Amino acid sequence: MSQNRDFAAVILAAGKGTRMKSGMHKVLHAIAGRAMIDHLLDSLAALHPSKTVIVAGDRHEQLRDALVGRNVVVALQEPQLGTAHAALQAEAALKDFRGLVMVCFGDTPMVKASTVQRMIDALDETTRVVVLGFRPADTLTYGRIITADDGSVRKMVEHKDADESERQCDLCNSGVLIAHSDDLWRLLKSVGNDNAQGEYYLPDVATQAIAEGARVVAVETDPAEVAGINSRGELAAAEAQWQRLRREEAMEAGVTLRAPETVFFSHDTELAADVTVEPNVVFGPGVKVASGATIRAFSHLEGATVGEGCEVGPYARLRPGAVMEKGSKIGNFVEMKKAILGEGAKANHLTYLGDAEIGAGANIGAGTITCNYDGYFKHKTVIGERAFIGSNSALIAPVTIGADAIVAAGSAVSRDVGAGDLRMVRAEQLVKQGWADRFHDTMKKKKAAEKKD
């Protein structure tokens, strides 16, 4: 954006969102683990807005709480008299701002900064207002943008107020517009409510500008970019759209997805080139995977860092704070939480590693558990380099296993093990010769006697 064109954003989020049937504000519902309003704010951040105002109504307190730390102002619309009335509520927050103002909706989170930039570029000395249009496969009840032969906008009309010829037009209004602040507030104040709904409609800003003899133009974009989210079904469709685009981006960047449609990303997932992801993998927030790593089928990762050449799964779970260093491996039904698995270390199956630090080259046997919680506090387990932990061992933290030490299978270790030592913690085995044979004979006779009775 040109440096001499100051830009501000007004986001309308005052609707009740009744179709969501939720106690949570509509724009706080998540796509890829991130609230839809945050997706939109992140996109607009690329344009460096001088100010951003969110106009809220019902459940406005939820928005204020959710946006703490964001450089935004929440303005209140009460009562709610329509979209033009909502946009006008941002005037006070922008009273000292002079420049271009974009008005959009909080429930259309896929709007791209590049599209807004095209709208900005379309504003010039002869154009007073720019609106964003799209051509859907089904025009449904969208408002229409009626254009003249020269491509300028001749009329903006809501579906309910359109006649049959106007409804034949397939250029629909997304609700996004841009105007200079000198024009916007004046035009908003001149909007009336003489329509089927008795509301003050935002598109009438363009209608008012046209009535003044000003030029209004429409910029077109893909319908998917401006799809509104008003129900759980539409939220799911937006999630599917986002995931599809993210999978395509990943593969273009050199990631192998064996069954792309079964892999789900979070908004901040980072996969390096030459990562391989097998079917049915879910990435929660905060995951980074380095080059050459393989994430095998049915694994779930969240808040985890996977190093170069590592192998995860199948059926593995990495929870927040899990770090796998270069060449390490966890196998089926292994769970890590707040634990570091050193370079080349392995935990191949049926293991829980929590609040632990495992040294390079260590081998963790099947069924090993780091007992990190005493009911009140978490404690740490440290396992040295090249240590061998036998199957079905319980390491009762806090405890340290030295380098090259061996913990025998079936041990419950509650004291530190020195480097190079063997620790075996087992009850003495008792053998009663012939006892099992005598037991079987007695039971068989008893059962036979019961049948005779």
Side-chain angles (χ1 to χ4, degrees), residues 242-435:
W242 190 96
Q243 293 292 343
R244 183 172 59 254
L245 293 172
R246 182 65 183 86
R247 292 164 190 148
E248 291 172 359
E249 289 175 1
M251 290 185 286
E252 288 173 3
V255 175
T256 295
L257 303 180
R258 294 280 169 79
E261 69 282 0
T262 70
V263 175
F264 291 86
F265 294 103
S266 186
H267 64 94
D268 59 353
T269 305
E270 296 182 24
L271 305 183
D274 291 322
V275 167
T276 297
V277 183
E278 293 185 353
N280 299 296
V281 171
V282 176
F283 294 97
V287 176
K288 296 182 180 180
V289 183
S291 179
T294 298
I295 313 299
R296 299 205 177 278
F298 295 97
S299 295
H300 186 285
L301 297 80
E302 180 179 357
T305 301
V306 179
E308 184 179 344
C310 289
E311 187 173 323
V312 177
Y315 295 97
R317 185 180 182 196
L318 296 183
R319 293 170 59 194
V323 177
M324 295 180 64
E325 296 184 345
K326 182 178 180 180
S328 59
K329 177 182 177 181
I330 64 170
N332 49 288
F333 305 106
V334 174
E335 179 180 346
M336 286 181 63
K337 188 274 299 178
K338 200 177 178 181
I340 299 172
L341 192 61
E343 183 173 342
K346 298 177 181 179
N348 282 327
H349 27 233
L350 303 168
T351 291
Y352 172 68
L353 302 173
D355 295 278
E357 183 177 323
I358 296 96
N363 192 319
I364 312 299
T368 296
I369 297 174
T370 56
C371 306
N372 56 329
Y373 185 50
D374 62 8
Y376 295 92
F377 302 101
K378 297 290 182 73
H379 303 281
K380 187 174 182 179
T381 297
V382 178
I383 300 173
E385 295 182 357
R386 299 173 303 280
F388 181 91
I389 310 299
S391 297
N392 201 34
S393 293
L395 308 180
I396 304 167
V399 68
T400 297
I401 311 298
D404 297 300
I406 296 176
V407 172
S411 295
V413 179
S414 58
R415 291 179 293 170
D416 290 352
V417 180
D421 287 355
L422 166 66
R423 176 64 56 83
M424 181 184 298
V425 187
R426 298 174 184 163
E428 181 181 355
Q429 294 189 33
L430 178 65
V431 178
K432 294 186 176 182
Q433 293 181 349
W435 185 93

Side-chain angles (χ1 to χ4, degrees), residues 2 26 58 101 103 107 122 124 137 163 184 190 211 228 256 305 327 361 395 450:
S2 302
K26 178 170 66 172
D58 188 47
V101 180
V103 183
D107 60 5
D124 55 30
D163 59 32
L184 180 62
S190 67
T256 295
T305 301
L395 308 180
E450 288 179 351

Side-chain angles (χ1 to χ4, degrees), residues 16 23-24 36 50 76 103 121 143 152 187 189 213 238 247 255 290 332 354-355 367 374 404 423:
K16 294 183 180 298
M24 183 166 62
M36 64 174 85
S50 299
L76 181 62
V103 183
D121 294 341
S152 62
L187 292 168
K189 290 172 184 175
R247 292 164 190 148
V255 175
N332 49 288
D355 295 278
D374 62 8
D404 297 300
R423 176 64 56 83

